[in-house]
Amino acid sequence: MIEKALTSADVEFVTTLHGDEQVAFHVLLQPRGEQADRLLRAIDDIALGELDEAVREGKAPEGEEALSTGERALEVSLTALRGTGADAVGRLLEDHPLDALKALVDEVGADEVIVLTDPHYVEEFFHRDWASRARHRVGVPVLKLFSHSKV
């Protein structure tokens, strides 16, 4: 589960987690503008020392604009994963990411879930981030990873 396009460092990291073992990726992307409250995002930006980003939170894509940005981010991510030789399919989510994640885990018989996002300190502190909430719902191990860099 991701919230933005994977960077090349992210792709290398997730595709090498299991060594030479054959891995298939089922990517769910929910654009950041749709899943997080602007205030929480601004607090996260301030906690990271990114004051300029906190000011720009009001300009984060929402609605249809976030969906088209999300579609591009998903395609970039899938192309990058496939470029390593991995099998990768995915879909864009508009709402209820944990319901979709649980359904996908059940549908494909996933062995684990990787949640790869930027840090969201407020949500993580209160265990309201995707990874913390997924651990109680999906029935498989959930690995929380932070994106290696901003895109």
Side-chain angles (χ1 to χ4, degrees):
M1 179 173 279
I2 61 176
E3 63 186 0
K4 65 179 186 175
L6 296 175
T7 65
S8 58
D10 295 333
V11 170
E12 180 179 352
F13 190 50
V14 299
T15 57
T16 59
L17 280 173
H18 298 287
D20 294 332
E21 187 177 331
Q22 184 66 23
V23 177
F25 293 93
H26 297 268
V27 180
L28 298 178
L29 183 143
Q30 184 175 32
R32 184 176 184 202
E34 292 295 311
Q35 62 89 23
D37 178 81
R38 285 183 187 163
L39 176 60
L40 291 177
R41 292 192 321 250
I43 292 170
D44 285 337
D45 290 334
I46 291 169
L48 290 168
E50 297 173 354
L51 300 178
D52 291 340
E53 287 298 316
V55 172
R56 284 190 275 262
E57 283 301 340
K59 299 174 185 166
E62 301 284 342
E64 290 299 317
E65 183 181 351
L67 291 177
S68 66
T69 300
E71 289 168 352
R72 287 190 302 276
L74 180 60
E75 190 55 42
V76 164
S77 299
L78 293 175
T79 300
L81 288 167
R82 291 175 187 141
T84 69
D87 292 330
V89 296
R91 69 178 186 249
L92 190 65
L93 302 175
E94 294 184 41
D95 53 17
H96 307 296
L98 296 175
D99 293 341
L101 180 60
K102 171 68 172 143
L104 180 63
V105 166
D106 292 343
E107 176 187 328
V108 302
D111 295 323
E112 76 177 344
V113 168
I114 298 172
V115 176
L116 193 147
T117 65
D118 286 334
H120 299 295
Y121 295 116
V122 174
E123 292 166 340
E124 290 163 21
F125 179 79
F126 291 107
H127 302 284
R128 301 304 304 154
D129 59 297
W130 286 344
S132 296
R133 292 169 48 204
R135 286 186 181 104
H136 301 287
R137 295 194 60 188
V138 298
V140 297
V142 176
L143 180 60
K144 169 68 175 173
L145 301 175
F146 292 122
S147 181
H148 281 74
S149 63
K150 300 252 182 209
V151 288

